[in-house]
Amino acid sequence: MHRFVLDDITGTTWAPSDDPKAWVLIAHGGGQHSQAPGVVARAEHFVATLGCAVLALDAPGHGGRAADEAALTEIRRRKAAGEPIGPLIAAMNAERAAQAVPEWRAALDALEITGPVGFWGVSLGTAIGVPLVASEPRITCAVLGLLGPVDGAADIRVPVEFLLQWDDDLVPRADALALFDALGSTEKTLHANPGGHVEVPRFEIESAEHFFRRHL
């Protein structure tokens, strides 16, 4: 595990002992960072089982990068008051994605990554992943989910595995299903599991491994 720094972009890379056969990009969820336990677990699993290298970047406002304190304060206020926070989070995600997509491209260029490349990112990771996967030809497959409609979903053409938590307390089920339906991929699979937003079963790591094995 090595720290990746490119100007103001920070993140983490993992690599196998041999030359990597492919790359997997991991975009973390909101409030996390590139060395969060879930990111590390997935990265180490993919390196060990697929022989690939992994790159995870800290999203804007995460992992020591300057956070939007005013927006975070407003989220806390709305939660305490029992007010809906979904629209505010969606707006924040869209703003972060607009900044993050060119950062991911710059990182791919700096590391001279040409492909094949897989993408894994849910929640905030999907807000970033949808426009990135739709516009970046080096990405050949993606695991997405835990989010409602995102602009650009219809432009995605690569195979997608989509995660949905049936009892998601942050993303209405109908919204997540709408995003899945909007994906332009001819090969897309929906994985629906019971539980809340942060209760994705651990066995989905193995499922993502098999998905990447087929497409990388």
Side-chain angles (χ1 to χ4, degrees):
M1 185 169 67
H2 299 282
R3 192 68 170 153
F4 174 84
V5 179
L6 177 65
D7 299 326
D8 294 331
I9 306 167
T10 59
T12 308
T13 61
W14 292 258
S17 56
D18 300 325
D19 290 336
K21 301 173 183 176
W23 282 79
V24 171
L25 314 180
I26 297 181
H28 62 76
Q32 301 181 6
H33 52 83
S34 65
Q35 294 185 13
V39 174
V40 173
R42 286 176 176 83
E44 291 179 345
H45 183 88
F46 295 152
V47 170
T49 59
L50 298 173
C52 68
V54 173
L55 169 65
L57 295 185
D58 295 314
H62 292 71
R65 304 182 67 183
D68 187 342
E69 293 298 336
L72 294 175
T73 298
E74 178 61 13
I75 288 175
R76 289 191 288 267
R77 186 199 68 77
R78 292 190 185 188
K79 290 180 70 174
E83 298 174 4
I85 62 173
L88 180 56
I89 291 178
M92 291 177 63
N93 284 349
E95 182 178 344
R96 288 165 175 162
Q99 181 180 344
V101 169
E103 291 181 349
W104 276 101
R105 288 209 186 97
L108 290 172
D109 291 341
L111 292 171
E112 299 182 342
I113 298 173
T114 58
V117 178
F119 179 90
W120 191 99
V122 298
S123 194
L124 171 60
T126 287
I128 294 169
V130 167
L132 178 62
V133 173
S135 61
E136 177 48 67
R138 286 171 284 194
I139 297 176
T140 59
C141 57
V143 177
L144 303 168
L146 304 188
L147 198 66
V150 181
D151 289 343
D155 297 324
I156 292 180
R157 295 289 183 265
V158 301
V160 172
E161 189 166 280
F162 191 91
L163 304 182
L164 181 151
Q165 287 301 100
W166 203 248
D167 310 296
D168 198 317
D169 47 315
L170 294 179
V171 180
R173 186 186 307 161
D175 289 356
L177 289 171
L179 176 54
F180 176 76
D181 189 49
L183 295 169
S185 307
T186 56
E187 180 182 338
K188 55 183 179 180
T189 304
L190 177 66
H191 285 206
N193 293 288
H197 190 76
V198 298
E199 297 176 324
V200 175
R202 186 171 177 81
F203 59 70
E204 288 293 356
I205 297 179
E206 285 76 21
S207 179
E209 171 208 331
H210 296 312
F211 173 78
F212 287 136
R213 192 182 300 279
R214 291 197 304 273
H215 297 294
L216 291 179

